[in-house]
Amino acid sequence: MLYTVAHGVIPPLARAVWRPVVEGLHHVPATGPVIVASNHLSFFDSVVIPVVVPRKVVFLAKSDYFTGTGVKGALTRAWFEGLGMLPVDRDDTKAAIASLDTALEVLRRGEAFGIYPEGTRSRDGRLYRGRTGVAHLALTAGCPVLPVGLLGTEEIQPVGASRPRLGKVDVTVRVGEPITVADEYDGVPSGRARRDLTDRIMAAIGGLTGQEPAGVYNERPASPA
């Protein structure tokens, strides 16, 4: 109910404020499980994609956003739940496994699940090497992967900014052709299959964004001592 109400309000409002350019929406499957795999430039990526894609896309978000108190906590929780996001405790040592289990449950329900194979935001604009969790999900669920390229989302809320910018920002969302996995990796060792599929997904994303490949994994910045 909350998602239905919020999704009737948030996307039109967000599109009016930031006016993103959207290409390739015809590639989005109307029904059935699909993994939406995107590059990652900004905290707002998880808002932009659900705003422009014409079906519900479930992302994971820090559990802190769902546990606040008072009016601010209630509004924050309503915002994230309204966008279809699910909480995950990133400080839990078992969070990665729990995240994959949650994602598989979403896909088993026939829904779309959003993921950033780079793992964390690119702070220098380069496209980092993909982690193989995205391929594990696709191969386990047997569902297609929809590559998405985001450009300019870091300008909505630059690193260190406390609130998003209002008004037109040069944001482009490009949706590529689905990458199918059914029967393509039969007989291939699982590790090799996951690596190959992940590299294919990242190549498709890079083709949409034109980003320079970093050639290495991205790591989260170290927390201040």
Side-chain angles (χ1 to χ4, degrees), residues 97-108:
I97 296 175
S99 297
L100 291 175
D101 289 342
T102 300
L104 287 172
E105 180 57 35
V106 170
L107 295 169
R108 289 188 186 108

Side-chain angles (χ1 to χ4, degrees), residues 43-66:
F43 163 82
F44 248 74
D45 295 343
S46 299
V47 175
V48 171
I49 291 175
V51 159
V52 303
V53 172
R55 59 179 289 190
K56 181 179 180 180
V57 180
V58 176
F59 278 92
L60 300 181
K62 290 192 299 185
S63 57
D64 299 16
Y65 295 133
F66 298 82

Side-chain angles (χ1 to χ4, degrees), residues 158-219:
V159 174
S162 59
R163 58 178 61 88
R165 292 175 177 172
L166 299 179
K168 177 122 177 18
V169 179
D170 290 330
V171 170
T172 299
V173 182
R174 292 178 179 148
V175 182
E177 295 184 11
I179 298 171
T180 58
V181 301
D183 303 323
E184 289 196 27
Y185 290 95
D186 290 352
V188 179
S190 59
R192 187 189 306 169
R194 289 194 296 267
R195 184 71 264 165
D196 180 76
L197 178 55
T198 301
D199 291 344
R200 286 174 58 197
I201 293 166
M202 297 311 296
I205 293 172
L208 295 168
T209 66
Q211 290 171 276
E212 175 190 348
V216 295
Y217 292 114
N218 198 5
E219 303 293 342

